[in-house]
Amino acid sequence: MRLAERMSRLGTETAFEVLVRAKALEAQGRDVVHLEIGEPDFDTPSNIIEAACRALHSGYTHYGPSAGLPELRQAIADDVSRSRGIKVNPNQVVVTPGGKPIMFFTIMTLSGPGDEVIYPNPGFPIFESVIKFVGAKAVPLRLSEEREFSFDIDELRSKVTPRTRMIIINSPHNPCGGMLSLEDLEATAEIAKEHDIMVLSDEIYIRLVYEGEFLSITRFPGMLEHTIILDGFSKSYAMTGWRLGYGVMPEELAAQVAKLMTNSNSCTAAFTQIAGIEALKGPQDESYKMAAAFKERRDIIVKGLNEIPGISCLMPKGAFYVFPNVKEVVKRGKFANAKALADYLLQEAGVAVLSGTAFGEYGEGYLRLSYANSIPNINKALQWIGEAVAKLG
Ligand SMILES: Cc1ncc(COP(=O)(O)O)c(C=O)c1O
Protein backbone atom coordinates (compact mmCIF):
# COMPACT_ATOMS: atom_id res chain seq x y z
CA MET A 1 0.00 0.00 0.00
CA ARG A 2 1.30 3.46 -0.80
CA LEU A 3 0.90 5.63 2.27
CA ALA A 4 1.00 9.41 2.27
CA GLU A 5 4.47 10.77 2.97
CA ARG A 6 3.39 12.39 6.25
CA MET A 7 2.74 8.98 7.80
CA SER A 8 6.49 8.35 7.92
CA ARG A 9 6.73 11.30 10.34
CA LEU A 10 4.10 10.11 12.79
CA GLY A 11 5.43 8.67 16.05
CA THR A 12 3.70 6.66 18.74
CA GLU A 13 3.54 5.95 22.47
CA THR A 14 5.88 3.14 23.50
CA ALA A 15 3.79 2.45 26.61
CA PHE A 16 1.19 0.70 24.49
CA GLU A 17 3.84 -1.45 22.75
CA VAL A 18 5.38 -2.51 26.07
CA LEU A 19 1.89 -3.28 27.40
CA VAL A 20 1.35 -5.68 24.47
CA ARG A 21 4.69 -7.43 25.18
CA ALA A 22 3.91 -7.65 28.89
CA LYS A 23 0.47 -9.10 28.15
CA ALA A 24 2.08 -11.69 25.85
CA LEU A 25 4.33 -12.80 28.75
CA GLU A 26 1.28 -13.03 31.02
CA ALA A 27 -0.46 -15.18 28.41
CA GLN A 28 2.50 -17.60 28.79
CA GLY A 29 1.78 -17.81 32.51
CA ARG A 30 4.35 -15.26 33.75
CA ASP A 31 3.53 -12.91 36.60
CA VAL A 32 4.08 -9.30 35.48
CA VAL A 33 3.78 -6.03 37.41
CA HIS A 34 2.63 -3.22 35.14
CA LEU A 35 4.43 0.04 35.75
CA GLU A 36 4.44 1.07 32.08
CA ILE A 37 1.01 2.58 31.58
CA GLY A 38 0.12 6.03 32.89
CA GLU A 39 -3.40 5.59 34.11
CA PRO A 40 -5.00 5.60 37.54
CA ASP A 41 -5.79 2.07 38.75
CA PHE A 42 -8.88 3.41 40.54
CA ASP A 43 -12.42 3.13 39.25
CA THR A 44 -14.23 6.28 38.21
CA PRO A 45 -16.09 7.69 41.26
CA SER A 46 -19.61 6.24 41.39
CA ASN A 47 -21.44 9.61 41.37
CA ILE A 48 -19.88 10.26 37.92
CA ILE A 49 -20.89 6.82 36.62
CA GLU A 50 -24.43 7.34 37.88
CA ALA A 51 -24.63 10.75 36.18
CA ALA A 52 -23.64 9.12 32.88
CA CYS A 53 -26.29 6.39 33.28
CA ARG A 54 -28.95 8.98 34.04
CA ALA A 55 -27.86 10.97 31.00
CA LEU A 56 -28.17 7.92 28.75
CA HIS A 57 -31.67 7.22 30.05
CA SER A 58 -32.74 10.80 29.56
CA GLY A 59 -31.81 11.05 25.90
CA TYR A 60 -28.21 12.29 25.81
CA THR A 61 -27.63 9.91 22.92
CA HIS A 62 -27.54 12.42 20.05
CA TYR A 63 -25.07 14.70 18.30
CA GLY A 64 -24.29 17.92 20.09
CA PRO A 65 -22.36 21.12 19.31
CA SER A 66 -18.80 20.47 18.07
CA ALA A 67 -17.22 22.66 20.76
CA GLY A 68 -19.10 20.85 23.53
CA LEU A 69 -22.40 21.15 25.42
CA PRO A 70 -22.88 24.75 26.64
CA GLU A 71 -23.50 23.59 30.22
CA LEU A 72 -20.20 21.66 30.33
CA ARG A 73 -18.28 24.53 28.69
CA GLN A 74 -19.70 26.80 31.39
CA ALA A 75 -18.74 24.35 34.18
CA ILE A 76 -15.21 24.07 32.75
CA ALA A 77 -14.88 27.85 32.41
CA ASP A 78 -15.92 28.23 36.07
CA ASP A 79 -13.59 25.46 37.25
CA VAL A 80 -10.58 26.70 35.28
CA SER A 81 -11.22 30.27 36.42
CA ARG A 82 -11.25 29.12 40.04
CA SER A 83 -8.30 26.73 39.90
CA ARG A 84 -5.99 29.11 38.01
CA GLY A 85 -7.21 32.41 39.45
CA ILE A 86 -8.12 33.76 36.01
CA LYS A 87 -11.27 34.80 34.15
CA VAL A 88 -12.33 32.34 31.45
CA ASN A 89 -15.57 32.48 29.47
CA PRO A 90 -17.26 29.42 27.92
CA ASN A 91 -16.49 30.55 24.35
CA GLN A 92 -12.82 29.95 25.13
CA VAL A 93 -13.48 26.28 25.93
CA VAL A 94 -13.49 23.40 23.44
CA VAL A 95 -14.46 19.94 24.69
CA THR A 96 -12.74 17.01 22.99
CA PRO A 97 -12.58 13.21 23.36
CA GLY A 98 -9.66 13.28 25.84
CA GLY A 99 -7.03 15.96 26.25
CA LYS A 100 -4.86 14.49 23.51
CA PRO A 101 -6.86 15.93 20.59
CA ILE A 102 -6.12 19.42 21.96
CA MET A 103 -2.43 18.76 21.19
CA PHE A 104 -3.22 17.51 17.75
CA PHE A 105 -5.69 20.26 16.85
CA THR A 106 -3.77 23.24 18.23
CA ILE A 107 -0.37 22.19 16.86
CA MET A 108 -2.08 21.60 13.51
CA THR A 109 -3.89 24.94 13.63
CA LEU A 110 -0.86 27.01 14.55
CA SER A 111 2.09 25.43 12.75
CA GLY A 112 3.09 23.85 9.49
CA PRO A 113 6.07 23.49 7.13
CA GLY A 114 8.71 26.14 7.81
CA ASP A 115 7.52 26.72 11.38
CA GLU A 116 9.22 25.63 14.59
CA VAL A 117 7.73 24.30 17.82
CA ILE A 118 9.74 24.01 21.03
CA TYR A 119 8.82 21.03 23.20
CA PRO A 120 10.11 19.42 26.42
CA ASN A 121 12.51 16.51 26.04
CA PRO A 122 12.13 14.11 27.79
CA GLY A 123 8.42 14.75 27.32
CA PHE A 124 5.10 13.25 26.36
CA PRO A 125 5.96 11.59 23.02
CA ILE A 126 2.88 12.79 21.17
CA PHE A 127 4.18 16.40 21.19
CA GLU A 128 7.16 15.56 18.97
CA SER A 129 5.10 13.15 16.88
CA VAL A 130 2.41 15.68 16.00
CA ILE A 131 4.85 18.55 15.41
CA LYS A 132 6.66 16.42 12.83
CA PHE A 133 3.43 15.09 11.38
CA VAL A 134 2.18 18.58 10.52
CA GLY A 135 5.52 19.28 8.80
CA ALA A 136 6.92 21.73 11.38
CA LYS A 137 10.39 21.47 12.90
CA ALA A 138 10.44 19.88 16.36
CA VAL A 139 12.91 21.78 18.57
CA PRO A 140 13.73 19.85 21.76
CA LEU A 141 14.21 21.73 25.03
CA ARG A 142 16.24 19.67 27.46
CA LEU A 143 14.91 18.92 30.93
CA SER A 144 17.73 17.87 33.19
CA GLU A 145 17.99 16.02 36.47
CA GLU A 146 20.37 18.71 37.79
CA ARG A 147 17.49 21.20 37.46
CA GLU A 148 14.99 18.78 39.02
CA PHE A 149 13.68 18.16 35.53
CA SER A 150 13.00 21.71 34.49
CA PHE A 151 14.74 23.58 31.66
CA ASP A 152 17.36 26.29 31.48
CA ILE A 153 15.61 29.52 30.60
CA ASP A 154 18.65 30.80 28.64
CA GLU A 155 18.52 27.63 26.58
CA LEU A 156 14.84 28.29 25.87
CA ARG A 157 15.71 31.84 24.81
CA SER A 158 18.44 30.55 22.50
CA LYS A 159 16.00 28.21 20.75
CA VAL A 160 13.51 30.93 19.84
CA THR A 161 13.74 32.11 16.22
CA PRO A 162 11.44 34.22 14.02
CA ARG A 163 9.91 30.91 12.90
CA THR A 164 8.95 29.75 16.42
CA ARG A 165 5.17 29.44 16.57
CA MET A 166 4.66 27.57 19.79
CA ILE A 167 6.33 26.61 23.07
CA ILE A 168 4.98 23.51 24.80
CA ILE A 169 5.24 23.17 28.56
CA ASN A 170 3.89 20.43 30.83
CA SER A 171 3.81 20.91 34.60
CA PRO A 172 3.45 18.66 36.59
CA HIS A 173 5.40 16.71 34.06
CA ASN A 174 5.14 13.35 32.37
CA PRO A 175 7.54 11.45 32.49
CA CYS A 176 9.74 13.13 35.14
CA GLY A 177 7.21 14.37 37.72
CA GLY A 178 8.91 17.78 37.82
CA MET A 179 7.17 21.13 38.16
CA LEU A 180 8.12 24.49 36.69
CA SER A 181 8.92 27.20 39.21
CA LEU A 182 7.18 30.56 39.35
CA GLU A 183 10.36 32.19 37.98
CA ASP A 184 10.61 29.78 35.03
CA LEU A 185 6.96 30.24 34.20
CA GLU A 186 7.28 34.01 34.38
CA ALA A 187 10.38 34.03 32.17
CA THR A 188 8.64 31.74 29.66
CA ALA A 189 5.63 34.06 29.65
CA GLU A 190 7.88 37.06 28.95
CA ILE A 191 9.49 35.24 26.00
CA ALA A 192 6.09 34.25 24.61
CA LYS A 193 4.74 37.79 24.82
CA GLU A 194 7.89 39.42 23.46
CA HIS A 195 7.99 37.17 20.40
CA ASP A 196 4.22 36.69 20.03
CA ILE A 197 4.42 32.92 20.48
CA MET A 198 1.57 30.71 21.70
CA VAL A 199 2.23 28.49 24.72
CA LEU A 200 0.58 25.08 24.87
CA SER A 201 0.39 24.47 28.61
CA ASP A 202 -0.41 20.83 29.33
CA GLU A 203 -1.94 20.99 32.82
CA ILE A 204 -3.53 17.54 32.86
CA TYR A 205 -1.84 16.66 36.19
CA ILE A 206 -3.11 19.78 38.00
CA ARG A 207 -4.72 17.77 40.80
CA LEU A 208 -1.72 15.53 41.36
CA VAL A 209 0.62 17.97 43.09
CA TYR A 210 2.42 16.77 46.22
CA GLU A 211 4.91 19.56 46.92
CA GLY A 212 4.12 23.25 46.68
CA GLU A 213 1.13 24.60 44.78
CA PHE A 214 0.02 24.24 41.19
CA LEU A 215 0.94 27.25 39.06
CA SER A 216 -0.42 28.01 35.60
CA ILE A 217 1.40 30.25 33.16
CA THR A 218 -1.96 31.95 32.55
CA ARG A 219 -1.58 33.75 35.91
CA PHE A 220 0.70 36.35 34.30
CA PRO A 221 -0.88 39.42 32.69
CA GLY A 222 -1.59 39.02 28.99
CA MET A 223 -0.95 35.28 29.00
CA LEU A 224 -4.53 34.13 28.54
CA GLU A 225 -4.24 35.55 25.01
CA HIS A 226 -1.03 33.59 24.47
CA THR A 227 -1.94 30.25 26.03
CA ILE A 228 -3.80 27.07 25.28
CA ILE A 229 -4.52 25.21 28.51
CA LEU A 230 -4.85 21.46 27.97
CA ASP A 231 -6.71 19.61 30.70
CA GLY A 232 -9.18 16.79 31.07
CA PHE A 233 -10.82 14.19 33.25
CA SER A 234 -8.57 11.15 32.63
CA LYS A 235 -6.10 11.65 35.46
CA SER A 236 -8.05 13.80 37.95
CA TYR A 237 -11.14 11.59 38.01
CA ALA A 238 -9.80 8.21 36.82
CA MET A 239 -11.69 8.56 33.54
CA THR A 240 -9.09 7.49 30.95
CA GLY A 241 -11.48 5.23 29.06
CA TRP A 242 -14.28 7.78 28.89
CA ARG A 243 -12.33 10.05 26.54
CA LEU A 244 -13.16 13.47 27.90
CA GLY A 245 -10.85 16.45 27.88
CA TYR A 246 -10.73 20.09 26.86
CA GLY A 247 -8.71 23.08 25.84
CA VAL A 248 -9.01 26.70 26.97
CA MET A 249 -7.73 29.19 24.42
CA PRO A 250 -8.44 32.55 22.78
CA GLU A 251 -11.91 32.55 21.20
CA GLU A 252 -10.53 32.99 17.70
CA LEU A 253 -8.48 29.83 18.08
CA ALA A 254 -11.34 27.97 19.81
CA ALA A 255 -13.49 28.53 16.69
CA GLN A 256 -10.79 26.93 14.52
CA VAL A 257 -10.35 23.97 16.86
CA ALA A 258 -14.14 23.49 16.93
CA LYS A 259 -14.02 23.37 13.12
CA LEU A 260 -11.45 20.58 13.34
CA MET A 261 -13.81 18.78 15.73
CA THR A 262 -16.62 19.11 13.16
CA ASN A 263 -14.28 17.66 10.55
CA SER A 264 -13.08 14.75 12.67
CA ASN A 265 -15.33 13.65 15.56
CA SER A 266 -18.40 15.87 14.98
CA CYS A 267 -18.62 16.19 18.78
CA THR A 268 -17.65 14.52 22.03
CA ALA A 269 -20.12 11.87 23.31
CA ALA A 270 -23.01 13.73 24.97
CA PHE A 271 -23.56 11.49 28.02
CA THR A 272 -19.86 11.59 28.94
CA GLN A 273 -20.08 15.39 28.90
CA ILE A 274 -22.98 15.29 31.36
CA ALA A 275 -20.83 13.02 33.54
CA GLY A 276 -18.07 15.62 33.24
CA ILE A 277 -20.37 18.26 34.77
CA GLU A 278 -20.95 15.93 37.74
CA ALA A 279 -17.18 15.38 38.02
CA LEU A 280 -16.53 19.12 38.28
CA LYS A 281 -19.53 20.13 40.37
CA GLY A 282 -20.15 17.02 42.48
CA PRO A 283 -18.29 15.89 45.60
CA GLN A 284 -14.52 15.95 45.18
CA ASP A 285 -13.52 13.63 48.03
CA GLU A 286 -12.81 10.59 45.77
CA SER A 287 -10.51 12.68 43.60
CA TYR A 288 -8.63 13.97 46.68
CA LYS A 289 -8.42 10.44 48.09
CA MET A 290 -6.80 9.21 44.88
CA ALA A 291 -4.24 12.02 45.01
CA ALA A 292 -3.42 11.13 48.63
CA ALA A 293 -2.98 7.46 47.66
CA PHE A 294 -0.60 8.42 44.85
CA LYS A 295 1.49 10.47 47.26
CA GLU A 296 1.84 7.49 49.60
CA ARG A 297 2.89 5.27 46.69
CA ARG A 298 5.35 7.88 45.47
CA ASP A 299 7.12 7.87 48.82
CA ILE A 300 7.33 4.07 48.83
CA ILE A 301 8.64 3.71 45.28
CA VAL A 302 11.22 6.51 45.60
CA LYS A 303 12.58 5.07 48.84
CA GLY A 304 12.65 1.54 47.42
CA LEU A 305 14.42 2.55 44.20
CA ASN A 306 17.05 4.54 46.08
CA GLU A 307 17.81 1.42 48.14
CA ILE A 308 18.80 -0.51 45.01
CA PRO A 309 22.55 -0.07 44.42
CA GLY A 310 23.17 1.81 41.17
CA ILE A 311 19.76 3.46 40.99
CA SER A 312 19.09 7.00 42.18
CA CYS A 313 15.70 8.63 42.06
CA LEU A 314 14.62 12.21 42.66
CA MET A 315 11.42 12.83 44.59
CA PRO A 316 8.85 13.92 41.98
CA LYS A 317 6.65 16.87 42.91
CA GLY A 318 3.61 15.83 40.91
CA ALA A 319 1.88 13.43 38.43
CA PHE A 320 2.34 9.67 39.07
CA TYR A 321 5.68 8.84 37.55
CA VAL A 322 9.24 8.42 38.76
CA PHE A 323 12.21 8.88 36.46
CA PRO A 324 15.16 7.14 38.14
CA ASN A 325 18.73 7.51 36.94
CA VAL A 326 19.99 4.03 36.01
CA LYS A 327 23.23 4.96 34.23
CA GLU A 328 25.33 2.94 36.68
CA VAL A 329 23.20 -0.20 36.25
CA VAL A 330 23.30 0.15 32.43
CA LYS A 331 27.10 0.27 32.68
CA ARG A 332 27.43 -2.54 35.18
CA GLY A 333 25.14 -4.85 33.20
CA LYS A 334 26.91 -3.90 29.93
CA PHE A 335 23.56 -2.95 28.41
CA ALA A 336 23.68 -0.95 25.18
CA ASN A 337 21.29 1.60 26.66
CA ALA A 338 18.38 2.18 29.07
CA LYS A 339 15.99 0.48 26.65
CA ALA A 340 18.03 -2.74 26.84
CA LEU A 341 17.82 -2.53 30.63
CA ALA A 342 14.03 -2.00 30.43
CA ASP A 343 13.79 -5.10 28.19
CA TYR A 344 15.89 -7.07 30.71
CA LEU A 345 13.64 -6.00 33.59
CA LEU A 346 10.56 -7.17 31.73
CA GLN A 347 12.08 -10.53 30.76
CA GLU A 348 14.12 -11.22 33.89
CA ALA A 349 12.16 -9.50 36.65
CA GLY A 350 8.64 -9.48 35.18
CA VAL A 351 8.37 -5.72 35.73
CA ALA A 352 7.13 -3.66 32.79
CA VAL A 353 8.80 -0.23 32.74
CA LEU A 354 9.68 2.22 29.99
CA SER A 355 13.05 3.47 28.88
CA GLY A 356 13.51 7.21 29.36
CA THR A 357 14.21 7.36 25.62
CA ALA A 358 10.55 6.54 24.96
CA PHE A 359 10.17 10.24 25.84
CA GLY A 360 12.98 11.61 23.69
CA GLU A 361 16.74 11.34 23.29
CA TYR A 362 17.49 13.26 26.50
CA GLY A 363 15.81 10.46 28.44
CA GLU A 364 18.83 8.20 27.89
CA GLY A 365 20.13 6.75 31.16
CA TYR A 366 16.72 6.85 32.85
CA LEU A 367 13.65 4.65 33.22
CA ARG A 368 10.06 5.73 33.70
CA LEU A 369 7.91 3.87 36.19
CA SER A 370 4.29 4.71 36.76
CA TYR A 371 3.24 4.31 40.38
CA ALA A 372 -0.45 4.27 39.54
CA ASN A 373 -0.53 0.74 40.92
CA SER A 374 -1.28 -0.85 44.30
CA ILE A 375 1.24 -0.76 47.15
CA PRO A 376 1.58 -4.60 47.20
CA ASN A 377 2.35 -4.52 43.46
CA ILE A 378 4.83 -1.66 43.88
CA ASN A 379 6.59 -3.57 46.67
CA LYS A 380 6.68 -6.71 44.52
CA ALA A 381 8.14 -4.73 41.61
CA LEU A 382 10.79 -3.17 43.85
CA GLN A 383 11.82 -6.58 45.16
CA TRP A 384 11.99 -8.11 41.69
CA ILE A 385 13.91 -5.17 40.21
CA GLY A 386 16.33 -5.34 43.15
CA GLU A 387 16.92 -9.06 42.60
CA ALA A 388 17.40 -8.70 38.84
CA VAL A 389 19.83 -5.82 39.30
CA ALA A 390 21.76 -7.77 41.98
CA LYS A 391 22.30 -10.57 39.43
CA LEU A 392 24.32 -8.15 37.32
CA GLY A 393 27.12 -8.31 39.89
C1 LIG B 1 1.24 14.93 29.66
C2 LIG B 1 -0.02 14.33 29.15
N1 LIG B 1 -0.86 15.07 28.44
C3 LIG B 1 -2.00 14.56 27.94
C4 LIG B 1 -2.34 13.25 28.13
C5 LIG B 1 -3.59 12.73 27.48
O1 LIG B 1 -4.61 12.39 28.30
P1 LIG B 1 -6.08 12.10 27.78
O2 LIG B 1 -6.10 12.17 26.29
O3 LIG B 1 -6.42 10.74 28.29
O4 LIG B 1 -6.94 13.17 28.37
C6 LIG B 1 -1.50 12.43 28.88
C7 LIG B 1 -1.82 11.00 29.06
O5 LIG B 1 -1.01 10.17 29.40
C8 LIG B 1 -0.31 12.99 29.41
O6 LIG B 1 0.54 12.25 30.14
Side-chain angles (χ1 to χ4, degrees):
M1 190 188 297
R2 210 172 107 197
L3 299 175
E5 180 274 331
R6 70 175 77 85
M7 290 310 292
S8 65
R9 291 183 263 118
L10 193 64
T12 188
E13 258 189 88
T14 311
F16 291 102
E17 289 169 16
V18 174
L19 176 68
V20 168
R21 280 172 40 218
K23 291 266 179 211
L25 278 181
E26 282 175 317
Q28 292 165 21
R30 289 277 308 276
D31 203 2
V32 176
V33 181
H34 291 273
L35 302 184
E36 77 279 39
I37 282 281
E39 75 166 335
D41 55 320
F42 300 105
D43 291 331
T44 305
S46 55
N47 61 310
I48 301 174
I49 293 177
E50 278 153 23
C53 294
R54 279 197 305 275
L56 278 169
H57 286 298
S58 43
Y60 282 97
T61 52
H62 299 274
Y63 289 132
S66 293
L69 294 175
E71 51 275 44
L72 176 59
R73 293 173 82 194
Q74 181 69 58
I76 291 169
D78 294 345
D79 189 73
V80 170
S81 299
R82 201 172 34 243
S83 53
R84 277 81 171 175
I86 53 178
K87 182 108 196 60
V88 169
N89 80 63
N91 293 332
Q92 292 168 281
V93 177
V94 184
V95 179
T96 46
K100 231 180 203 177
I102 294 297
M103 286 171 206
F104 203 95
F105 293 157
T106 59
I107 294 170
M108 184 175 242
T109 306
L110 294 170
S111 64
D115 297 329
E116 297 177 4
V117 178
I118 299 173
Y119 70 101
N121 186 322
F124 191 57
I126 301 305
F127 297 141
E128 183 181 346
S129 167
V130 177
I131 298 165
K132 289 182 172 167
F133 186 67
V134 303
K137 183 175 168 197
V139 181
L141 179 62
R142 184 181 198 134
L143 306 189
S144 64
E145 188 181 359
E146 297 73 44
R147 296 180 177 279
E148 293 190 64
F149 297 117
S150 65
F151 52 82
D152 178 351
I153 203 76
D154 290 329
E155 200 177 321
L156 170 59
R157 237 177 242 118
S158 75
K159 304 234 166 192
V160 171
T161 77
R163 292 176 298 281
T164 307
R165 302 301 314 278
M166 200 186 227
I167 298 169
I168 301 177
I169 57 174
N170 171 214
S171 176
H173 181 255
N174 176 10
C176 305
M179 283 193 359
L180 295 175
S181 66
L182 184 68
E183 295 72 35
D184 286 347
L185 286 170
E186 189 168 22
T188 305
E190 286 312 314
I191 293 170
K193 283 185 283 186
E194 185 188 334
H195 299 273
D196 198 15
I197 298 168
M198 288 299 290
V199 174
L200 171 57
S201 180
D202 186 334
E203 304 181 357
I204 200 131
Y205 295 102
I206 178 171
R207 281 175 171 254
L208 301 176
V209 171
Y210 316 114
E211 314 285 336
E213 59 165 334
F214 172 81
L215 300 168
S216 171
I217 195 161
T218 51
R219 64 189 283 129
F220 301 107
M223 276 313 286
L224 209 44
E225 293 78 52
H226 281 94
T227 307
I228 301 130
I229 295 175
L230 180 159
D231 199 349
F233 298 76
S234 290
K235 320 284 173 175
S236 297
Y237 298 99
M239 289 175 72
T240 48
W242 293 66
R243 310 313 302 136
L244 189 61
Y246 55 88
V248 176
M249 61 201 85
E251 283 185 41
E252 190 187 349
L253 182 58
Q256 299 303 317
V257 171
K259 218 155 93 182
L260 280 169
M261 272 297 288
T262 307
N263 277 269
S264 53
N265 300 278
S266 293
C267 61
T268 305
F271 66 97
T272 64
Q273 294 191 60
I274 297 295
I277 298 173
E278 172 64 22
L280 294 177
K281 291 189 168 174
Q284 301 294 308
D285 35 322
E286 288 294 314
S287 172
Y288 291 129
K289 250 194 255 167
M290 287 189 251
F294 287 135
K295 184 169 192 265
E296 190 185 356
R297 296 159 182 201
R298 173 196 73 152
D299 296 347
I300 291 170
I301 200 166
V302 169
K303 182 169 177 287
L305 286 169
N306 280 317
E307 281 167 7
I308 299 172
I311 297 183
S312 66
C313 184
L314 281 187
M315 184 64 85
K317 296 190 172 83
F320 40 57
Y321 311 103
V322 281
F323 206 65
N325 182 327
V326 290
K327 290 174 188 169
E328 221 180 293
V329 179
V330 168
K331 209 159 120 193
R332 196 181 336 134
K334 298 191 175 57
F335 294 106
N337 46 37
K339 174 162 186 321
L341 172 60
D343 291 343
Y344 169 78
L345 290 177
L346 178 58
Q347 288 299 331
E348 182 66 30
V351 184
V353 301
L354 300 182
S355 163
T357 46
F359 302 90
E361 67 268 37
Y362 296 134
E364 185 51 84
Y366 298 84
L367 297 177
R368 190 200 77 168
L369 287 67
S370 159
Y371 52 88
N373 207 326
S374 69
I375 290 175
N377 277 341
I378 289 171
N379 280 328
K380 197 152 77 171
L382 287 167
Q383 186 194 331
W384 291 354
I385 293 172
E387 288 164 4
V389 168
K391 279 191 196 157
L392 301 171

